[in-house]
Amino acid sequence: MNASTWLTRSVSRLRPDAAPAAEPEKEVASSSSSAPVKKKAALPPRTLNERLEATLRRHGEAMAPRALRRALTELQSVVDARVSEVEAGRRACEVMRWYAALDAAERRDVWLLISERFAPDAKKLSSARARHEAAVGTLDEGQAEVHLRRALASPRARLLQRFTIDPDGMRFLIDLRAELLPQVKGERRFVPLDAELEHLFSTWFDVAFLDLRRISWDSPASLIEKLIQYEAVHDIKSWADVKNRLDSDRRCYGFFHPRLPDVPLIFVEVALVDHLSDGIVPLLDEAAALATADKASTAIFYSISNTQSGLRGVSFGDSLIKRVVETLQAEFPRLKVFATLSPIPGFRPWLAKHAGEMLARLDDKRARALGQSLGSLPPTPERLLAAADDALAFDARSPVRQMLLQCAAEYLGRATVDGKPVDPVARFHLGNGARVERLNWAGDPSSKGVKQAYGLMVNYLYDLKRLDKHRALLAQGKVAVSGDIDSLFLKA
């Protein structure tokens, strides 16, 4: 190779958009001839440490080694013990501005840097653990525990905390985790960063630091727009729709954090009525006559929406309901019943897997009646599931309708994993101490309701005197249900 050729190839490798360097080739036999075919051998991805020590970027890597080292230096400057909190906050703000301009792949490199290069000191941690183990049962155990806690404190936590010095820092970290979460399952190296953020958020967003505020039609338009944006259960279709949900016979409450004063972290919509609601359509009917709130006996929680995906794992929904119940009782002493009208989002996919098992538990009489209705003796899972797609057309005497109600009761009252309800909405309300009160046929006839649960909805009842009893039952793997639900259970 002459000097000119060498220079041409070497300089081209320095370009950011350069193609990968030539890789070792292997000879493989061609399927169409006996002549060998050369095939490139794939190189394994480099570790973060290898990339930081390298000179050139390899094909498929986001940041070049030099840019990666510069990014690490900038992050380290934020936690420099020699600078004041004010200066650390200014540096964190600069990092946030720089981060905002990065593309998705470059941001992944930043996550790797924070995860791997800001971990606790391994040697100090090992020494502290050994010291604590040796001190267990002695007078020095308490001091050894303090020493271990300090060793466990990572520079990563300090780095993240310093971002919050800036007024926009909390918003930055929540958005960062929202973008990070979908990637964690496929990239275990992000787990330390995700765990650190979740731990910090659990402290920063403790309910003791949150404000409960009512959201009404008189609230700022920007806040009402947030309801439209974040409503996750029943989509808000218009301003008339949202006005109906904020009318005099309704209440809407949200939890707010001082650092995010204009965004509810979670909000709940409540209808004040005189009976246990069995369908969502009347509650969302904009033309319906207003109820007299002062005479209402029942508060129906018909929508609860979390707004920040970056706060996943931080629980404050149970505290929200408790605080709202207390607030409503103070305003409306006549209220005696507190219940939900809830979707059953996991029922259809669950039934698709367990229909055969449910059918096998029918007695001969019920199986024969259902089979005759489905046109198949004995009834088959395929026929049942096909018929269920027209669930809204079945009258009260239909064996198919009765079977679907029984399967839904089994799903909500008996289907558990590790002692917890399979359905996510059931898991939330039952974990708060509610009980499964009543199933409502055609409770949500919308396309979403049919797709989730063949139009079925459920009432969870919050019996304020039995919440602890119901929680204790759930801790034993037993779901609290009403007599109506119990009567629907299939034989074991």
Side-chain angles (χ1 to χ4, degrees), residues 359-371 377 379 491:
L359 289 171
R361 291 165 60 184
L362 289 175
D363 58 40
D364 292 341
K365 181 180 179 181
R366 293 290 315 284
R368 185 164 51 254
L370 179 60
L377 287 172
K491 66 179 182 180

Side-chain angles (χ1 to χ4, degrees), residues 249-421:
D249 59 346
R250 304 298 177 87
R251 290 295 183 271
C252 180
Y253 298 93
F255 265 149
F256 293 78
H257 191 276
R259 281 297 186 93
L260 301 167
D262 301 322
V263 181
L265 305 177
I266 184 173
F267 61 89
V268 59
E269 298 168 61
V270 188
L272 304 176
V273 294
D274 59 4
H275 63 280
L276 195 63
S277 298
D278 60 4
I280 194 62
V281 172
L283 297 184
L284 299 182
D285 183 2
E286 299 166 22
L290 288 175
T292 304
D294 290 341
K295 296 181 179 180
S297 63
T298 305
I300 298 293
F301 299 82
Y302 64 92
S303 179
I304 301 176
S305 299
N306 286 287
T307 70
Q308 306 300 309
S309 59
L311 292 178
R312 192 176 75 188
V314 180
S315 177
F316 31 60
D318 55 340
S319 297
L320 173 67
I321 291 179
K322 180 181 178 182
R323 293 273 299 277
V324 169
V325 167
E326 292 171 350
T327 301
L328 289 172
Q329 284 181 317
E331 185 178 0
F332 302 105
R334 289 175 177 263
L335 287 176
K336 303 300 179 184
V337 178
F338 298 90
T340 78
L341 181 62
S342 300
I344 315 174
F347 178 51
R348 179 186 278 262
W350 178 86
L351 184 60
K353 295 180 180 179
H354 298 274
E357 174 190 337
M358 297 296 104
L359 289 171
R361 291 165 60 184
L362 289 175
D363 58 40
D364 292 341
K365 181 180 179 181
R366 293 290 315 284
R368 185 164 51 254
L370 179 60
Q372 289 172 347
S373 179
L374 295 175
S376 170
L377 287 172
T380 65
E382 294 76 17
R383 289 290 184 93
L384 175 62
L385 295 173
D389 283 331
D390 296 321
L392 299 181
F394 297 122
D395 62 31
R397 294 176 296 177
S398 166
V400 177
R401 173 168 169 169
Q402 183 65 20
M403 184 62 184
L404 289 177
L405 285 169
Q406 289 184 286
C407 289
E410 290 285 332
Y411 172 66
L412 295 173
R414 288 179 171 174
T416 60
V417 174
D418 297 329
K420 297 181 179 179

Side-chain angles (χ1 to χ4, degrees), residues 212-231 236 239 242 246 252-256 260-267 307:
L212 180 70
R213 286 162 45 188
R214 180 184 169 189
I215 304 170
S216 70
W217 186 244
D218 295 326
S219 297
S222 59
L223 180 53
I224 296 176
E225 287 175 350
K226 294 292 192 305
L227 298 187
I228 299 174
Q229 177 184 355
Y230 291 116
E231 167 61 49
I236 298 175
W239 281 100
V242 73
L246 299 176
C252 180
Y253 298 93
F255 265 149
F256 293 78
L260 301 167
D262 301 322
V263 181
L265 305 177
I266 184 173
F267 61 89
T307 70

Side-chain angles (χ1 to χ4, degrees), residues 6-295:
W6 182 87
L7 282 172
T8 300
R9 291 187 179 180
S10 298
V11 171
S12 66
R13 291 173 63 197
L14 296 175
R15 293 169 50 205
D17 58 347
E23 298 175 345
E25 296 180 339
K26 294 182 179 179
E27 290 189 350
V28 297
S30 170
S31 59
S32 59
S33 69
S34 58
V37 178
K38 291 183 177 180
K39 182 179 181 180
K40 292 181 178 180
L43 294 174
R46 295 190 293 190
T47 66
L48 181 64
N49 287 340
E50 289 172 340
R51 292 176 59 195
L52 285 166
E53 295 172 0
T55 302
L56 300 176
R57 174 172 48 189
R58 182 178 289 177
H59 179 67
E61 295 175 346
M63 287 186 179
R66 183 178 179 182
L68 205 58
R69 289 191 289 271
R70 188 186 311 119
L72 177 59
T73 299
E74 294 297 325
L75 291 170
Q76 289 172 331
S77 74
V78 175
V79 292
D80 190 335
R82 297 169 297 180
V83 303
S84 67
E85 291 291 314
V86 174
E87 174 60 17
R90 187 195 67 77
R91 294 181 180 184
C93 184
E94 290 298 319
V95 169
M96 287 191 290
R97 290 197 187 98
W98 161 74
Y99 179 90
L102 300 179
D103 62 30
E106 291 169 331
R107 290 183 180 188
R108 287 172 61 91
D109 279 347
V110 176
W111 303 341
L112 278 178
L113 287 170
I114 299 175
S115 282
E116 296 190 4
R117 304 294 291 198
F118 290 84
D121 186 295
K123 291 183 178 179
K124 290 182 179 179
L125 184 55
S126 178
S127 173
R129 281 175 175 161
R131 176 178 173 180
H132 181 261
E133 289 175 2
V136 171
T138 72
L139 294 176
D140 295 328
E141 182 176 356
Q143 186 60 40
E145 179 185 342
V146 171
H147 188 68
L148 178 58
R149 286 180 180 274
R150 288 174 178 169
L152 283 166
S154 68
R156 188 187 306 112
R158 184 166 181 79
L159 171 65
L160 298 174
Q161 288 167 340
R162 285 194 158 177
F163 281 113
T164 63
I165 296 173
D166 186 89
D168 296 324
M170 194 74 78
R171 172 83 273 167
F172 168 76
L173 292 178
I174 292 173
D175 290 344
L176 185 153
R177 186 167 185 250
E179 191 176 3
L180 169 73
L181 277 171
Q183 310 296 324
V184 173
K185 188 174 182 180
E187 178 53 88
R188 295 171 60 186
R189 292 182 294 176
F190 296 150
V191 169
L193 174 57
D194 176 48
E196 197 84 70
L197 283 167
E198 182 177 351
H199 173 72
L200 290 172
F201 288 159
S202 296
T203 301
W204 296 338
F205 290 90
D206 185 275
V207 292
F209 304 129
L210 303 181
D211 297 323
L212 180 70
R213 286 162 45 188
R214 180 184 169 189
I215 304 170
S216 70
W217 186 244
D218 295 326
S219 297
S222 59
L223 180 53
I224 296 176
E225 287 175 350
K226 294 292 192 305
L227 298 187
I228 299 174
Q229 177 184 355
Y230 291 116
E231 167 61 49
V233 184
H234 304 291
D235 292 342
I236 298 175
K237 301 175 181 178
S238 64
W239 281 100
D241 186 1
V242 73
K243 187 177 188 300
N244 176 56
R245 302 187 193 205
L246 299 176
D247 224 323
S248 59
D249 59 346
R250 304 298 177 87
R251 290 295 183 271
C252 180
Y253 298 93
F255 265 149
F256 293 78
H257 191 276
R259 281 297 186 93
L260 301 167
D262 301 322
V263 181
L265 305 177
I266 184 173
F267 61 89
V268 59
E269 298 168 61
V270 188
L272 304 176
V273 294
D274 59 4
H275 63 280
L276 195 63
S277 298
D278 60 4
I280 194 62
V281 172
L283 297 184
L284 299 182
D285 183 2
E286 299 166 22
L290 288 175
T292 304
D294 290 341
K295 296 181 179 180

